[in-house]
Amino acid sequence: MSNLVNVPKNGSLVNSNSNQNFPTLSNWLDDIFNRDLPSVVTSNFNTGITLPKVNIKESADDFTVEMAVPGLKKSDFQIDIDNQVLSISTETKEENKHKEENYTRREFSYSSFKRTFALPESVNDEKINASYNEGILSILLPKKEEAKQKPARSIKIS
């Protein structure tokens, strides 16, 4: 017999004088909710897209936003600019129907995300372009001419 004391989620100790052959309702519920769900239940539980990771690079001429979003098509993306805010979103839906003996099994899949970024005023929003290659969405945000870093130069003293 174990000498360990069962401590429920709420942190209160179980009455040590209770008959261990008859668990209390509280212990029974804690037992159910503390148990790991079988892999059959959890295997397809979270198949949606999580918030994708983003890299933002700055050069003298532009900013580049790179987003890791494998498994999508470029037609799945919606990229908008409104009031100096860049919005990148996607929404995918899939429905599979399998007809078998006496029933039809339907499996639905839905996933979406939306990331927004405030653009600096130095970005020329008329010349922004995007590409999607091998799971990476790249958005090029060119800087306005007056915002581009000018090369260093020497000034002669007269």
Side-chain angles (χ1 to χ4, degrees):
M1 181 180 240
S2 172
N3 291 330
L4 296 177
V5 176
N6 183 20
V7 179
K9 278 187 179 177
N10 64 11
S12 64
L13 290 176
V14 176
N15 183 354
S16 60
N17 293 333
S18 68
N19 188 339
Q20 296 213 358
N21 291 332
F22 297 103
T24 64
L25 178 61
S26 174
N27 289 348
W28 182 71
L29 289 173
D30 282 338
D31 223 21
I32 288 173
F33 291 111
N34 285 333
R35 221 178 269 160
D36 288 335
L37 294 173
S39 62
V40 172
V41 175
T42 60
S43 63
N44 290 322
F45 186 67
N46 186 15
T47 57
I49 296 174
T50 58
L51 203 56
K53 303 291 184 192
V54 174
N55 293 332
I56 300 176
K57 297 187 288 189
E58 181 179 7
S59 71
D61 297 328
D62 55 44
F63 295 94
T64 304
V65 177
E66 296 174 326
M67 183 177 291
V69 280
L72 298 174
K73 301 178 298 248
K74 63 182 177 179
S75 61
D76 291 335
F77 296 100
Q78 178 72 36
I79 302 172
D80 297 306
I81 296 181
D82 184 24
N83 202 21
Q84 288 300 105
V85 175
L86 174 70
S87 298
I88 306 163
S89 61
T90 186
E91 182 177 343
T92 59
K93 298 176 186 176
E94 185 178 322
E95 180 180 343
N96 294 323
K97 293 182 183 180
H98 298 283
K99 296 229 182 231
E100 295 178 14
E101 288 182 21
N102 294 326
Y103 64 93
T104 299
R105 181 178 73 205
R106 299 174 102 181
E107 295 179 356
F108 296 95
S109 171
Y110 175 83
S111 58
S112 68
F113 74 82
K114 182 173 186 175
R115 297 282 314 251
T116 58
F117 304 92
L119 296 178
E121 290 191 23
S122 60
V123 170
N124 183 348
D125 62 0
E126 298 295 321
K127 295 187 177 182
I128 295 174
N129 63 51
S131 62
Y132 183 67
N133 187 25
E134 295 185 14
I136 304 293
L137 176 66
S138 297
I139 302 172
L140 185 68
L141 307 165
K143 292 181 180 177
K144 295 176 181 173
E145 284 301 316
E146 61 271 14
K148 290 182 181 177
Q149 189 174 11
K150 307 252 189 296
R153 63 183 178 100
S154 295
I155 298 174
K156 294 184 181 181
I157 301 172
S158 54

